[in-house]
Amino acid sequence: MRRSSGKDAKREVRDVLDLACGTGIPTVELANRGYNVVGIDLHEEMLEVARRKTDKVKFIQGNALEINFREEFDAVMMLFSSITYFNEEELMILFRKVHEALRPGGVFVADFPQ
């Protein structure tokens, strides 16, 4: 993720939440580039691998549908097609939780196969 040039987020991106972060490959890279990053994953064994890579990231075991952040992040990301694991009802919950976690002008980035 690059620092916002005004084309994506409507604010400077400094604080990033990585949902379904897994073993933390992009999560760690963002931390190494100077972002403040929190990674959340459902599977503790994945987080154990991620934690061995860095101490710059706060890794939390948890369900993306149960996060309770309030305007704490400039960007939320969900990579590696993780968003496809949710049904329609769960997606609505996820989008509400992401919206609540974002500061005004923040951005949500997710990928999915075509």
Side-chain angles (χ1 to χ4, degrees), residues 10-35:
K10 295 181 181 176
R11 62 179 305 115
E12 182 179 1
V13 174
R14 291 186 174 188
D15 301 311
V16 180
L17 174 62
D18 186 3
L19 296 174
C21 68
T23 61
I25 294 169
T27 321
V28 171
E29 179 62 28
L30 287 173
N32 288 339
R33 292 178 183 217
Y35 293 91

Side-chain angles (χ1 to χ4, degrees), residues 91-104:
L91 281 173
M92 296 307 294
I93 295 168
L94 176 70
F95 292 151
R96 182 174 46 82
K97 293 289 190 174
V98 166
H99 184 264
E100 291 170 355
L102 286 169
R103 293 181 179 121

Side-chain angles (χ1 to χ4, degrees), residues 49-113:
V49 173
R51 288 183 187 112
R52 287 194 294 263
K53 295 177 182 178
T54 188
D55 60 357
K56 295 179 184 178
V57 176
K58 180 178 181 180
F59 289 107
I60 302 169
Q61 191 278 325
N63 186 329
L65 300 177
E66 298 172 357
I67 62 171
N68 286 306
F69 298 105
R70 297 289 181 264
E71 296 185 4
E72 295 181 43
F73 299 96
D74 305 308
V76 176
M77 63 185 200
M78 182 173 260
L79 303 179
F80 303 113
S81 302
S82 298
I83 200 166
T84 63
Y85 291 100
F86 298 97
N87 64 38
E88 188 174 334
E89 181 180 326
E90 291 169 332
L91 281 173
M92 296 307 294
I93 295 168
L94 176 70
F95 292 151
R96 182 174 46 82
K97 293 289 190 174
V98 166
H99 184 264
E100 291 170 355
L102 286 169
R103 293 181 179 121
V107 63
F108 177 47
V109 177
D111 66 344
F112 55 91

